[in-house]
Amino acid sequence: MADLEEQEKFMEKKVEGSGLSRREFLRNAGFVVGGASLGSLAFLNACSSGSTSTVTETKTVTAGAGTTVTVTAPAVTVTGTGTTSTAPANLVNLNVNGIDYWGVVSPEWTLAYVLREKLGLIATKRGCDWGDCGVCVVLMDSRPVMSCVVLALEASGKKIETLEGLAPKIGATLDPLQQAFINNDAMQCGFCTAGQIMTAKALLAFKPSPTVAEIKEFLAGTICRCGAYMGIIAAVKSQAK
Amino acid sequence: MDTLNVVGNPAIHDQHSNLILLGKMDYACDRLPGRKLYSAFKSSSIAHGAVKSIDPAAALALPGVKAVITYKDCPVWSPNIFQWGQEVAGVVAIDAGTAARAALLIKVTYDVSKPVIDPDESMKPGASSVGVIQGKNTLIANYLTRGGGGEAGMAKADVTLETVQPWSTTYQHNTLETHSAVAEWAGDQVKVWCSSQSAFNGKWEVAAALNLPINHVHFFTHGTGCAHGDKNSSPFAVVAAVMSKAVGGQAVQVALTRRDNMLFNTRQFSVRSAIKLGAKKDGTFTGIDAEFWGDVGRNPMAPVDNAHFGLRTTYTCPDADFKVTRVVTNTPQRGFWRCVNDPPGAFNYDIAIDKLADKLGMDPFALRMKNLRAPDAPDQDPPNRVWGGNGVGLCFDKVYTSSGYQSKWHKPGTRVLADGRLHGIAITGHLDSHGYIVGSTRGALVTITADGKCLVNVGGGRGSEGGLTSCCIITAEALGMPPEDVVCGDWGNTDVALDGGMQAGSTFTASAGGAFYNAALDARAKLFAAAVNHSPFFSLKVTPDQLEAKNGFVYLKSDPSQRLSYKQVMAGTPPIAGYGTGWNATLRSRSVGGVAQGSVCNANGSAAACAELAVDTETGQVEILGYWNAVDTGRTIFKQGAIKEMLSGCELMIHQALFAGDVYDIPSGACISTQFNESMVPTAMDMKGERFNVYDLESDDAAGPYGAHGMGEPCVTNYSAIICAIFNATGKWVDPEKGACTPNKVLKALGKA
């Protein structure tokens, strides 16, 4: 998404189920996307009631055709609207699927919560909220993490990859691992699928030729309650070099 | 069997694979991101009693809290507490963390009564009341006497066996997606997105609870993250609607925490039984006297009434008594969950059959075959219907031959493997109480569009079972269209679909699938009526009854070269809608040689499983060496889906036998297995898939669409094969002690713990 024009198109896409363009959605959620939109940021939603907070940040973004520019976000003084928690405001920068997002978060917000509720990236699911089931696995700097036990603050400045980043458009060519899941009927209800794929993605990057035993061990942290394990294991094995 | 193009085609995959793999399948909590409030619950800290007072002041004072509701505001909640962890109040706040913090600040006082957690305690005369049923703790669910009754049968026996089986495991599913709903009001109408399997059930629940006209409730259920019957009911849709109303109609999300979900979701009940079997010396059954008790937790209407079904229907026996009793306790509700009724019942009666075989000195499989009913024999009990299909014999044969049972079976405790472990093998199976057709309440809508393709709108949610894809396959076959031209238009949307019932593997294919068969025939008739107005049919003065359809073409039966594609027929024709309702009574009559065998026939699935295992007598560890799972599908509609179900069935049966079970603190009634790690959920590492062997067998049952049974339930029912195989290995019966056959219990059976 280096091209600004493409990024603009991306911003005008409707966020599933919200009825809003992505730009409107993020603005409502207190987040902005890096690049052209940075100057218009307004961190209104995540600030405590009646209090004020001033935030500034400098960010280097790629502004198309390989041109790199450094942008300093204007100092923004935010007065709380009374719609949010008492937690102090904290600015984070999340690079998700190659796109920079900026926003103010409550210290208790998890990465999973921000991905789903603030960035609208719903492929990452919430299963247990304490690192037991693995359906929320995403890659953080190429390592699989359970995003329900990673605070958004911890993820700031890190590169996050979610299922949406593999083949972001309906009709686009699927990632070979995604296609392998179809070929092997490696899902039933689909709720754990994003976690399974992202975990497997990390495994195959770390070890391109895993044995079945290694696949089982690596995937053991992501539960499938429908019992589609056999298809999942076969799908991952089919992608071993 | 006739030749079918689409039904059973192994190249067809789940219609929704792409949506899921792109992360676009929307589950309830995926809706309305960025413009909804969040909730959390205050649940009871007692297992039995009543709420005396609730003080929400501190919670309401917390910044970010929008509302607190209590049982007084919510018609699906009660001040009477029947289990630990029952919801008594809820908080709506600007984020989930704030809601959770506020819920902790709600002060509740209780009038405390003594909880009854142990079902044996609950059954005792003079036991404390559980409080669910006024004045008593038990409720007879089923009673049936055949011939002269069980005692008369015992009098004719050469050998009798009397066994009291202790409580089997209480198995809960732990749906990965917790029970969830998002509700939003617009004026006097409410929209609800819910994790339910059953959109129309949910719509009615919300309308009834809130006293709304039915058309003021718009209910949506797309993705359902694990269901298997647990998500039939939708009380949290009502809760979300109440919460949304309390904040002026703004969208509110209800998403149970893992702990709350484990306390709410339905479990498969545990069963205790007292079974007497009488037989001649050659093994012929003369009498059965079987009484089952099902621990239903706080749900007195839990479906336990068919715990005896397989014993009643699978084997011939002239004199018998069957009785099933519900036992209520102050524990979480039992209910629909992957084959209710049969598995725990079979777990007990299969043990009794193997014990009788041991007493007779027979191979237990041979004893079963000695008494197996002929597939065409009518039911032994009124109304003595014939069976639309009874493939239990096929299933038994398949697992027997494919496992090599004949050469592997040995007398109990007599075969030691080279590594010193004991070898065991057993086969169990039965005609199942599931897979049948449910009345005519299911509706279906199919639309042939201007481009000659077909949209299938299913009024059920999308669970795990592939039911939506099955409906598309049935429609494509009946319309004579290639499968890629028939797509699921929308589903679980009460605004655009007819009531498809609950999307569940036990009944959906046979029931909603039957409705789609009828809807497709309706659309096809309308298509033929439109086709005769097009050349060449118009110039040939063809009438609709002279036409046939196949592979996307409408053609003249007498001259297939005279044909039009669907697209050509639909050119200039308005979209054609076809409507259908569930399978009707006439079609449920099985035809043998063209002669109807009764106005209505039974149509049940059946299954058999063989478990081969090794028992380490030092550690008590049980290793599955092979698992063979055969299921009578009647006719396999969605081949890939059926294989998936059977493979997952193997995993779930092993889980039920070796892993599962709730754990309670008896004095307080607190359930202390409320997380995944505490309830020992199997992971990929536990899979021995290379040792699983699954078979979908077709009994050519004419009762369902293309002869199909539902098969999602029967494929998980025979975990009794594992405990019977442990007996074959060790010569000792493991007492499950209300849980699974864990290593410690195996060692206990061996006298080593």
Side-chain angles (χ1 to χ4, degrees):
Chain A
M1 199 71 71
D3 184 270
L4 281 178
E5 190 179 337
E6 196 169 330
Q7 185 165 302
E8 283 299 312
K9 286 181 190 166
F10 176 77
M11 294 299 290
E12 294 313 317
K13 275 176 59 180
K14 294 282 183 188
V15 175
E16 198 97 26
S18 73
L20 302 171
S21 74
R22 198 153 183 85
R23 188 191 304 278
E24 294 164 331
F25 172 81
L26 291 169
R27 188 178 296 139
N28 280 1
F31 269 76
V32 294
V33 70
S37 309
L38 197 58
S40 61
L41 62 80
F43 299 132
L44 292 180
N45 279 358
C47 188
S48 57
S49 175
S51 66
T52 59
S53 176
T54 301
V55 289
T56 57
E57 188 73 33
T58 298
K59 176 63 183 164
T60 301
V61 296
T62 304
T67 306
T68 300
V69 295
T70 298
V71 180
T72 300
V76 176
T77 300
V78 180
T79 300
T81 60
T83 61
T84 57
S85 69
T86 54
N90 295 276
L91 181 66
V92 295
N93 161 222
L94 301 175
N95 181 283
V96 185
N97 301 326
I99 300 172
D100 276 313
Y101 296 91
W102 297 69
V104 177
V105 300
S106 164
E108 69 187 14
W109 287 354
T110 63
L111 177 58
Y113 181 82
V114 170
L115 289 173
R116 287 179 53 76
E117 309 299 338
K118 300 299 173 185
L119 303 186
L121 299 170
I122 58 167
T124 302
K125 302 303 181 198
R126 162 197 167 277
C128 65
D129 264 348
W130 71 354
D132 233 5
C133 72
V135 301
C136 64
V137 166
V138 299
L139 304 187
M140 189 160 83
D141 285 347
S142 302
R143 295 170 64 88
V145 296
M146 295 189 186
S147 59
C148 73
V149 289
V150 173
L151 294 173
L153 285 169
E154 294 177 78
S156 189
K158 307 280 176 61
K159 289 190 183 306
I160 310 297
E161 295 169 66
T162 72
L163 181 65
E164 285 98 338
L166 294 191
K169 296 171 187 168
I170 288 182
T173 304
L174 292 174
D175 181 276
L177 186 57
Q178 289 172 307
Q179 189 59 50
F181 267 61
I182 290 179
N183 296 345
N184 289 277
D185 274 283
M187 77 217 73
Q188 290 196 29
C189 77
F191 198 75
C192 71
T193 303
Q196 303 283 4
I197 288 185
M198 299 315 291
T199 308
K201 199 79 187 157
L203 168 64
L204 293 169
F206 168 71
K207 187 153 193 173
S209 301
T211 64
V212 168
E214 287 167 336
I215 293 169
K216 287 180 180 179
E217 186 173 0
F218 208 84
L219 294 179
T222 304
I223 293 167
C224 172
R225 291 301 292 125
C226 296
Y229 289 121
M230 297 318 305
I232 295 167
I233 294 164
V236 179
K237 183 63 184 165
S238 75
Q239 293 304 296
K241 298 281 188 264
Chain B
M1 288 188 182
D2 51 335
T3 304
L4 300 173
N5 288 344
V6 189
V7 165
N9 185 339
I12 297 174
H13 293 284
D14 190 319
Q15 284 247 340
H16 297 103
S17 294
N18 262 43
L19 269 185
I20 290 168
L21 285 162
L22 290 167
K24 300 289 184 187
M25 173 61 79
D26 56 314
Y27 302 80
C29 289
D30 296 338
R31 304 301 303 188
L32 313 188
R35 63 179 178 96
K36 60 190 170 188
L37 298 169
Y38 301 82
S39 62
F41 295 112
K42 177 75 175 181
S43 58
S44 69
S45 56
I46 64 166
H48 187 198
V51 175
K52 197 154 67 176
S53 68
I54 297 181
D55 178 5
L60 283 167
L62 192 70
V65 170
K66 298 291 188 181
V68 173
I69 67 164
T70 72
Y71 68 86
K72 294 173 185 169
D73 311 299
C74 185
V76 294
W77 287 348
S78 165
N80 299 314
I81 305 299
F82 300 124
Q83 74 159 90
W84 185 80
Q86 187 177 321
E87 297 85 11
V88 294
V91 177
V92 183
I94 51 94
D95 61 26
T98 304
R101 278 198 304 279
L104 292 173
L105 299 175
I106 298 174
K107 291 176 185 153
V108 185
T109 60
Y110 300 94
D111 286 322
V112 182
S113 303
K114 184 188 174 192
V116 184
I117 306 302
D118 187 335
D120 282 325
E121 195 65 35
S122 180
M123 289 165 58
K124 281 182 184 169
S128 299
S129 173
V130 172
V132 177
I133 314 171
Q134 198 145 20
K136 56 183 181 179
N137 290 349
T138 60
L139 196 65
I140 292 175
N142 211 331
Y143 186 83
L144 186 148
T145 293
R146 179 191 303 159
E151 283 308 310
M154 298 306 145
K156 298 173 194 166
D158 297 325
V159 178
T160 61
L161 173 100
E162 188 168 351
T163 181
V164 175
Q165 292 303 132
W167 294 95
S168 61
T169 187
T170 298
Y171 186 37
Q172 66 164 310
H173 185 194
N174 300 344
T175 54
L176 264 185
E177 178 203 33
T178 61
H179 282 261
S180 312
V182 175
E184 180 180 47
W185 288 81
D188 58 357
Q189 307 214 3
V190 64
K191 285 185 178 180
V192 185
W193 294 265
C194 185
S195 58
S196 171
Q197 289 170 262
S198 183
F200 282 84
N201 268 6
K203 180 183 175 95
W204 293 328
E205 277 182 74
V206 173
L210 303 183
N211 199 24
L212 290 170
I214 190 77
N215 60 349
H216 284 209
V217 180
H218 308 271
F219 202 96
F220 310 93
T221 170
H222 265 188
T224 299
C226 302
H228 302 300
D230 174 49
K231 289 177 174 171
N232 180 32
S233 181
S234 312
F236 294 99
V238 177
V239 176
V242 169
M243 286 179 157
S244 173
K245 192 87 172 173
V247 293
Q250 189 176 350
V252 174
Q253 171 176 300
V254 168
L256 296 194
T257 63
R258 177 54 49 196
R259 170 190 173 278
D260 287 348
N261 196 65
M262 289 213 197
L263 292 170
F264 171 79
N265 69 185
T266 55
R267 287 134 164 86
Q268 196 177 79
F269 57 92
S270 60
V271 163
R272 176 181 183 274
S273 64
I275 299 175
K276 286 185 198 170
L277 297 175
K280 295 291 188 187
K281 283 178 185 166
D282 67 356
T284 304
F285 287 165
T286 60
I288 299 172
D289 188 348
E291 183 162 11
F292 300 83
W293 294 268
D295 177 359
V296 296
R298 67 176 171 93
N299 179 11
M301 298 314 293
V304 306
D305 47 311
N306 272 325
H308 66 303
F309 187 89
L311 183 60
R312 182 182 77 72
T313 58
T314 308
Y315 305 105
T316 300
C317 186
D319 298 298
D321 280 315
F322 300 97
K323 186 177 178 185
V324 183
T325 301
R326 296 183 172 99
V327 182
V328 293
T329 52
N330 292 118
T331 59
Q333 61 179 330
R334 276 58 158 181
F336 292 110
W337 192 97
R338 282 309 285 266
C339 205
V340 288
N341 282 313
D342 298 83
F347 187 80
N348 279 16
Y349 65 68
D350 276 324
I351 290 172
I353 292 172
D354 273 39
K355 283 184 174 178
L356 177 63
D358 191 43
K359 198 167 182 179
L360 287 163
M362 284 181 77
D363 172 350
F365 181 75
L367 177 60
R368 285 177 171 81
M369 292 305 99
K370 183 82 183 170
N371 294 286
L372 191 67
R373 286 181 54 253
D376 288 333
D379 191 2
Q380 298 164 94
D381 304 303
N384 302 101
R385 289 174 180 161
V386 294
W387 298 92
N390 176 0
V392 68
L394 292 176
C395 298
F396 271 127
D397 285 347
K398 189 66 186 179
V399 297
Y400 177 79
T401 53
S402 56
S403 66
Y405 180 90
Q406 187 176 15
S407 62
K408 291 177 178 175
W409 185 80
H410 47 78
K411 287 191 177 297
T414 59
R415 185 176 163 199
V416 182
L417 295 168
D419 59 11
R421 294 182 298 171
L422 299 179
H423 169 272
I425 190 167
I427 291 175
T428 62
H430 58 263
L431 189 56
D432 201 271
S433 69
H434 294 83
Y436 51 88
I437 296 162
V438 178
S440 58
T441 57
R442 311 296 178 97
L445 166 63
V446 302
T447 308
I448 304 174
T449 51
D451 58 359
K453 298 187 176 179
C454 182
L455 292 176
V456 170
N457 281 15
V458 187
R462 188 197 177 280
S464 307
E465 300 86 355
L468 306 191
T469 301
S470 294
C471 288
C472 292
I473 290 171
I474 289 167
T475 302
E477 189 71 64
L479 275 171
M481 293 179 82
E484 61 272 19
D485 285 353
V486 180
V487 296
C488 200
D490 201 353
W491 65 97
N493 178 344
T494 59
D495 286 357
V496 300
L498 302 175
D499 184 357
M502 178 170 72
Q503 203 273 293
S506 59
T507 61
F508 195 76
T509 301
S511 302
F516 276 96
Y517 180 83
N518 288 337
L521 293 186
D522 182 39
R524 195 173 77 150
K526 291 170 181 171
L527 183 84
F528 287 180
V532 297
N533 294 319
H534 292 257
S535 285
F537 303 138
F538 181 75
S539 52
L540 292 170
K541 297 183 178 172
V542 167
T543 56
D545 60 311
Q546 293 174 286
L547 296 176
E548 187 52 88
K550 204 163 195 176
N551 296 329
F553 289 93
V554 178
Y555 62 90
L556 193 58
K557 286 179 198 170
S558 58
D559 179 6
S561 69
Q562 300 293 331
R563 66 179 196 174
L564 289 173
S565 69
Y566 270 49
K567 190 173 180 180
Q568 287 170 317
V569 174
M570 292 305 295
T573 303
I576 290 174
Y579 300 95
T581 55
W583 225 231
N584 61 48
T586 309
L587 286 169
R588 288 172 65 183
S589 171
R590 187 180 185 222
S591 171
V592 177
V595 179
Q597 302 294 296
S599 59
V600 179
C601 65
N602 293 329
N604 296 74
S606 49
C610 175
E612 183 179 11
L613 48 78
V615 178
D616 186 324
T617 57
E618 295 304 313
T619 64
Q621 290 284 348
V622 174
E623 182 187 3
I624 300 294
L625 302 176
Y627 208 81
W628 292 262
N629 190 12
V631 180
D632 166 30
T633 64
R635 176 72 72 96
T636 303
I637 301 291
F638 176 25
K639 183 82 172 177
Q640 295 282 358
I643 291 170
K644 263 193 300 197
E645 282 291 339
M646 290 185 290
L647 283 171
S648 69
C650 294
E651 179 225 310
L652 293 169
M653 284 189 277
I654 292 168
H655 183 209
Q656 282 174 289
L658 301 176
F659 288 69
D662 280 350
V663 183
Y664 294 96
D665 174 58
I666 297 290
S668 70
C671 179
I672 53 178
S673 51
T674 60
Q675 300 296 336
F676 282 122
N677 57 358
E678 293 157 345
S679 58
M680 299 289 285
V681 173
T683 73
M685 281 188 78
D686 299 307
M687 290 304 101
K688 303 291 182 191
E690 61 278 11
R691 301 172 190 179
F692 294 168
N693 308 274
V694 298
Y695 311 96
D696 56 318
L697 306 177
E698 300 185 318
S699 63
D700 195 14
D701 168 8
Y706 297 106
H709 298 302
M711 55 79 65
E713 309 283 9
C715 70
V716 295
T717 61
N718 288 302
Y719 69 97
S720 52
I722 293 174
I723 193 168
C724 291
I726 294 173
F727 173 72
N728 183 246
T730 63
K732 307 288 183 189
W733 286 103
V734 178
D735 178 354
E737 299 174 26
K738 300 170 190 164
C741 301
T742 57
N744 192 47
K745 290 173 191 168
V746 173
L747 288 176
K748 204 168 169 182
L750 292 169
K752 294 185 174 180

